[in-house]
Amino acid sequence: MAACSAAWAQAPDADAPPAPTKGEAKAQRDFKMLDFNGDGKLSRTEVQLFPRLAAAFDDADTDKDGYVSYEEVRAFAAKYREQRDQQRAAAQAAAAASSPRP
């Protein structure tokens, strides 16, 4: 019985969120680094160190409150990656279509 209890105590919690990936952990660190005042959101001034986000601040600020939350940054990054991947795929398809076949 004691062994069963110990095993149960060490079993992962099914309701616990998954551990962050390396990229997610880096994003969390970067967000905290930019959040100078520690309020959990980024102002236009705080994002000036991150030019891509500064340029797209209005797009990232989906609730239009003048700040970008971590969730908004995550959504912006996912949208950016999807667009980048689509552009790469289109460029590769165009290169493949234009290359001569033996």
Side-chain angles (χ1 to χ4, degrees):
M1 178 93 157
C4 183
S5 295
W8 179 261
Q10 294 176 3
D13 184 0
D15 295 331
T21 63
K22 286 182 181 180
E24 180 77 13
K26 181 184 182 312
Q28 289 172 348
R29 283 192 309 273
D30 290 349
F31 186 90
K32 287 179 182 177
M33 178 193 69
L34 292 174
D35 185 13
F36 297 122
N37 63 2
D39 64 356
K41 55 191 177 184
L42 302 178
S43 67
R44 286 183 189 277
T45 304
E46 290 171 322
V47 301
Q48 292 306 311
L49 294 176
F50 194 56
R52 189 177 349 150
L53 184 54
F57 190 90
D58 290 330
D59 289 336
D61 182 18
T62 56
D63 63 5
K64 305 302 180 203
D65 66 352
Y67 296 94
V68 179
S69 68
Y70 182 69
E71 288 306 315
E72 287 173 317
V73 170
R74 286 183 64 198
F76 172 77
K79 179 180 169 183
Y80 173 80
R81 280 191 304 270
E82 183 178 333
Q83 290 173 346
R84 182 194 62 204
D85 292 348
Q86 288 175 352
Q87 290 171 347
R88 284 183 182 168
Q92 288 175 347
S98 66
S99 65
R101 294 190 175 168

